[in-house]
Amino acid sequence: MKVKSYYPVLASWIITLLFCGTNMGVRFYGFPKWMDLSNLSELATVFFGLIILGGPILSLLWGVGGLIENKEKKDFIIALVLSVLWFLPFLIVFALGLS
């Protein structure tokens, strides 16, 4: 199996949704208990935090590097779009001074 450039950002999207669905007060209806990440140890939380923050950055750099090397591959464009969409809410919050 070949690893695509958008896999890290997909992992960060999934883990972000799991944390937001359990930790941040937004409760999904019928959310499975085994997927609840709010009761993890501190080490596991740091590990998932690194994936959440590092995934989009890795995909962004991988996508830019891939587009410089080969402009015909579509997975680099997917990686860039998903990374930018992941960072966009944070940029809007900081630009509006809502943080």
Side-chain angles (χ1 to χ4, degrees):
M1 180 178 123
K2 188 172 180 177
V3 177
K4 300 286 187 182
S5 59
Y6 55 86
Y7 287 173
V9 76
L10 281 180
S12 67
W13 271 97
I14 291 167
I15 293 172
T16 301
L17 289 174
L18 290 177
F19 267 114
C20 288
T22 58
N23 252 0
M24 303 301 213
V26 179
R27 301 284 180 195
F28 294 130
Y29 178 73
F31 198 80
K33 296 290 183 195
W34 63 271
M35 292 175 74
D36 189 358
L37 300 178
S38 60
N39 296 324
L40 293 176
S41 68
E42 187 175 323
L43 184 62
T45 306
V46 168
F47 173 73
F48 285 126
L50 287 174
I51 293 174
I52 289 171
L53 293 176
I57 294 169
L58 178 63
S59 287
L60 189 65
L61 294 175
W62 196 346
V64 169
L67 282 177
I68 290 171
E69 182 181 322
N70 184 2
K71 294 185 184 195
E72 281 111 31
K73 292 188 86 173
K74 300 296 182 205
D75 60 327
F76 297 126
I77 295 171
I78 294 170
L80 287 174
V81 168
L82 288 175
S83 296
V84 168
L85 286 175
W86 194 90
F87 283 116
L88 195 61
F90 298 108
L91 293 175
I92 292 171
V93 165
F94 286 126
L96 295 177
L98 300 174
S99 62

